[in-house]
């Protein structure tokens, strides 16, 4: 067993793009638009649909991950790091689920479902004062840092240890 299941590979790269898109779009496009701007509802709608799609795909990925055999953990060359690496991988699932949960809580508290999807279009209430808003922002920051470390680790494996780690998250035989 040298590679992850092909479904996991497809979903890894699709989710990598989608999660990066949601982080960048959330922080640099959605957050800076004031609640009373006419653009807010459209960008919120996009963010919410995108976030809920990420949640659905991440659940599928978790189920497939738990039900398929996978390669033995890669050796980083340091026993302590070898121990924490799998936990860091599980952190991705925890952070993405936490982001989706806090996003949904925020939407329920502010009645965004009706406002954004047409049931009761109206002004978007002030979002920064909602309780789950702070959690959503902190989880997004934690996920961005985890991704930065994850990309750094992939580059380290590939360029320094030259252990072909990318192949494990790629397609093909052997
Ligand atoms: C674009 C930059 C990225 C690169 C180059 C990359 C690369 C990799 C590689 C090579 C592995 C295999 C590691 C191993 O076998 O030990 C892996 C695993 C993993 N990656 Fe990424 N990744 C990226 C982005 C992401 C993002 C944004 C997420 C968040 C959703 C993510 C979540 C995971 C998870 C959870 C695993 C563990 C395998 C599993 O649970 O199925 N990756 N990544
Ligand atoms: C699961 C992936 C998600 C990611 C990566 C993500 C990312 C982000 C980011 C980076 C921000 C801006 C944070 C800041 O600047 O402090 C944000 C704001 C927000 N997100 Fe998400 N989000 C996700 C899912 C969701 C979901 C599922 C919903 C709702 C159903 C949602 C609703 C919101 C709302 C209402 C805001 C506040 C906008 C504002 O203050 O103007 N998010 N999100």
């Amino acid at each position: 067993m040298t590679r992850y299941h092909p479904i996991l590979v497809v979903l890894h790269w699709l989710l990598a793009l989608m999660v990066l898109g949601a982080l960048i779009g959330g922080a640099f496009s959605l957050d800076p638009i004031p609640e009373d701007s006419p653009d807010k509802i459209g960008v919120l709608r996009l963010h919410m649909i995108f976030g809920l799609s990420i949640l659905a795909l991440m659940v599928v990925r978790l189920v497939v991950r738990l039900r398929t055999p996978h390669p033995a953990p890669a050796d980083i060359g340091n026993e302590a790091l070898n121990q924490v690496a799998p936990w860091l991988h599980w952190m991705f699932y925890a952070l993405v689920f936490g982001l989706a949960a806090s996003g949904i809580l925020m939407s329920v508290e502010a009645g965004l479902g009706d406002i954004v999807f047409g049931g009761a279009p109206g002004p978007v209430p002030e979002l920064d004062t909602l309780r789950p808003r702070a959690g959503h922002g902190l989880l997004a920051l934690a996920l961005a840092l985890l991704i930065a470390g994850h990309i750094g680790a992939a580059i380290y494996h590939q360029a320094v240890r030259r252990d072909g780690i990318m192949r494990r998250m790629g397609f093909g035989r052997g």
Side-chain angles (χ1 to χ4, degrees), residues 2 26 44 87 92 115 140 144 163:
T2 55
L44 258 178
W87 293 102
F92 276 107
I115 295 171
D163 55 9

Side-chain angles (χ1 to χ4, degrees), residues 18-35 40 44 47-55 95-108 110 112 117 124 126-128 130 133-134 136-141 143:
M18 290 179 74
V19 168
L20 284 173
L23 282 174
I24 293 169
F28 299 111
S29 176
L30 174 62
D31 184 48
I33 302 176
E35 274 77 355
K40 189 73 176 184
L44 258 178
H47 183 80
M48 289 166 70
I49 293 173
F50 214 65
L52 292 173
S53 311
I54 290 174
L55 171 63
L95 290 176
V96 170
F97 291 145
L99 269 160
S102 54
I104 291 168
L105 282 175
M106 226 189 311
S107 310
V108 171
L112 289 181
F117 295 103
V124 177
E126 187 60 51
L127 296 172
D128 282 350
L130 298 173
R133 176 69 184 83
H136 199 69
L138 285 174
L139 288 168
L141 181 64
L143 182 58

